Amino acid sequence: MIETPKLLMIPGPTPVVRSIQNQMARETVAFGDAGFIADFKGLVAELKALWRCDGEAFVLAGSGTMAMEMAVANITKRGENVLICSHGYFGDRFIDICARKGLGVDVLKAEWGTVYTPEQIDAELSKKEYAALTVTHVDTATGAEAPLKEICVMLKKKHPGVLLIVDAVAAAGGAESWMDWGIDVLFTCSQKAFGVAPGLAMLWASGRALAKRKSLGTIPESYFDFERWIPVMQDPSKYWGTPPVNMIWALKEGLRLMKEEGLEERYARHIRQAAVFVAAMEALGFKTAASKENRAPTLSIFFYPENSGLDDLPFRAKLAEEGVQSAGCLGAFAGKGFRLGHMGNIDKHVLVGTIASVERACVKCGYQVELGKGLGVLQAGLVRE
Ligand SMILES: Cc1ncc(COP(=O)(O)O)c(C=O)c1O
């Protein structure tokens, strides 16, 4: 049997292109190697500059959840209040992290598929004194994007003393955010819109966040204490925990590709790709979970069309046979649809291959779409690019 790689269309990890794979396959060197130290230093400096950060950028081994905990651990202390703005499964994940930390937790929830407004956040923050708030830029369970820029504008005007933590795991590198909007801690990880394999967390902390960390003295957490890592980020010849050498090279190559494309163009490309991709799926009868005005450019949840007869597990198994890996829905959406990423280092061929596979899987599962209908819409969109 001819085995070709399946398209990795889950919302992370995303497809890893050959030049990044090549970095992971390099001969590993000592983390004290002069060439590696220079590579690591350059990578951190570039991340900091590109995201317009006046504090420090961090790159360390771990997943997005670790970065969530790192953010909370370094800028809050037991007894302080935090407002969690949640529009899905990953927003809710902050509740446990903050409660375990001994913070006073309030949650502003938006119905799945929708998002909260800056006005709602303003009203909540006006009720008591908060040290920080968390915003999930794109919740991977709903495919909805929070109005981050507008939230930043509101905070600057109305609540300048409250520190803003942004979970940009399913956004950074695919949906726009800059630290100088007024973000205090922003984080993501390697396997999403950066298009690198899983394994690294990247976090940016503003000067204000670093000052808050300093004011806390010794914190209970050790591995991801900013104070432990700042000396390493500024001079990677220093040691706190062993850096994952090959992953750091892989991220450096990922960032090189991003710079070659240009971050602004990359964000614009994600918006264009998402629009044509969703239009193609809609032509096949699928509907997104996120309302049109809140749709994220990085991933979508597609609900099965009513009366299509499509059953989640067999459909996704057939889709995998046809060459595309997809993800099941989470929480309240489980079984009602499936999730597809459209972020990172993907191109027209990937989108065409994905829609073609979806069409075949539909027909093979008994949902008689007109073959080529989704592809036609996609192709018409792609030739306009
Ligand atoms: C928005 C968001 N936050 C946090 C996480 C957790 O990241 P990880 O699975 O890498 O720990 C995810 C994972 O998909 C996510 O999508």
Side-chain angles (χ1 to χ4, degrees):
M1 195 171 114
I2 301 168
E3 283 213 11
T4 51
K6 290 191 195 311
L7 292 174
L8 185 54
M9 299 306 284
I10 67 172
T14 59
V16 180
V17 298
R18 173 58 58 200
S19 70
I20 294 177
Q21 290 181 32
N22 287 345
Q23 294 299 317
M24 296 193 292
R26 276 174 70 180
E27 197 74 42
T28 303
V29 298
F31 57 86
D33 178 89
F36 172 70
I37 289 171
D39 288 342
F40 195 179
K41 193 177 167 102
L43 170 66
V44 173
E46 272 182 346
L47 282 170
K48 183 174 154 177
L50 279 170
W51 263 265
R52 306 180 196 156
C53 175
D54 69 354
E56 189 54 76
F58 300 82
V59 177
L60 61 159
S63 80
T65 307
M66 185 204 67
M68 296 174 82
E69 198 151 7
M70 182 172 176
V72 172
N74 279 281
I75 65 161
T76 62
K77 68 166 188 274
R78 175 174 283 277
E80 287 182 337
N81 294 321
V82 63
L83 177 68
I84 294 168
C85 304
S86 174
H87 61 287
Y89 178 90
F90 289 101
D92 285 356
R93 186 168 280 202
F94 272 118
I95 300 172
D96 180 56
I97 290 172
C98 292
R100 283 171 186 239
K101 174 85 185 162
L103 300 171
V105 174
D106 292 301
V107 187
L108 172 64
K109 276 200 194 245
E111 199 183 322
W112 281 34
T114 70
V115 289
Y116 30 75
T117 63
E119 292 71 31
Q120 286 172 308
I121 297 176
D122 176 25
E124 287 304 312
L125 288 177
S126 303
K127 289 182 184 164
K128 62 166 94 145
E129 194 178 321
Y130 284 98
L133 79 156
T134 71
V135 170
T136 308
H137 190 176
V138 172
D139 201 298
T140 320
T142 71
E145 181 183 13
L148 183 57
K149 192 172 183 185
E150 292 75 14
I151 291 170
C152 290
V153 170
M154 180 281 292
L155 286 174
K156 244 186 196 163
K157 216 190 293 172
K158 302 277 196 68
H159 306 277
V162 184
L163 297 175
L164 172 61
I165 296 173
V166 177
D167 174 346
V169 165
E176 188 180 27
S177 62
W178 311 102
M179 288 296 286
D180 67 1
W181 281 355
I183 298 169
D184 291 290
V185 180
L186 179 87
F187 59 84
T188 187
C189 40
S190 43
Q191 76 270 24
K192 303 273 185 183
F194 274 63
V196 179
L200 290 178
M202 294 88 86
L203 183 146
W204 295 259
S206 68
R208 208 159 77 126
L210 297 184
K212 176 74 191 280
R213 165 65 197 90
K214 225 178 199 25
S215 76
L216 298 176
T218 303
I219 59 171
E221 299 81 2
S222 175
Y223 172 61
F224 45 65
D225 182 351
F226 285 175
E227 296 277 295
R228 301 274 199 200
W229 285 107
I230 289 169
V232 181
M233 294 302 126
Q234 292 174 353
D235 174 7
S237 70
K238 298 206 167 93
Y239 167 78
W240 172 234
T242 303
V245 173
N246 292 66
M247 287 306 299
I248 284 167
W249 279 332
L251 183 63
K252 189 174 165 59
E253 171 60 11
L255 197 62
R256 188 192 68 75
L257 295 174
M258 291 166 81
K259 281 190 311 179
E260 194 175 79
E261 183 175 14
L263 271 183
E264 259 106 1
E265 168 50 23
R266 192 173 176 92
Y267 293 136
R269 165 174 65 83
H270 276 75
I271 291 171
R272 292 195 303 270
Q273 280 182 340
V276 292
F277 190 72
V278 168
M281 289 294 285
E282 285 178 337
L284 298 173
F286 292 90
K287 287 198 168 54
T288 60
S291 45
K292 193 164 184 195
E293 59 282 9
N294 304 319
R295 274 181 201 156
T298 47
L299 72 122
S300 299
I301 279 77
F302 294 108
F303 286 141
Y304 296 115
E306 269 177 47
N307 307 321
S308 65
L310 292 179
D311 205 2
D312 186 39
L313 286 180
F315 172 74
R316 291 196 299 107
K318 188 57 74 186
L319 185 56
E321 261 175 51
E322 293 300 322
V324 169
Q325 291 179 310
S326 64
C329 285
L330 301 170
F333 289 170
K336 295 184 181 160
F338 67 116
R339 300 185 296 150
L340 289 175
H342 33 81
M343 63 179 138
N345 297 324
I346 57 169
D347 61 10
K348 295 175 184 181
H349 300 293
V350 172
L351 298 179
V352 168
T354 303
I355 295 294
S357 300
V358 169
E359 290 188 350
R360 292 195 302 277
C362 285
V363 171
K364 287 189 172 186
C365 287
Y367 173 45
Q368 296 302 330
V369 295
E370 182 188 326
L371 288 172
K373 194 170 179 195
L375 271 179
V377 170
L378 183 73
Q379 294 280 58
L382 293 177
V383 288
R384 281 197 299 272
E385 277 212 12

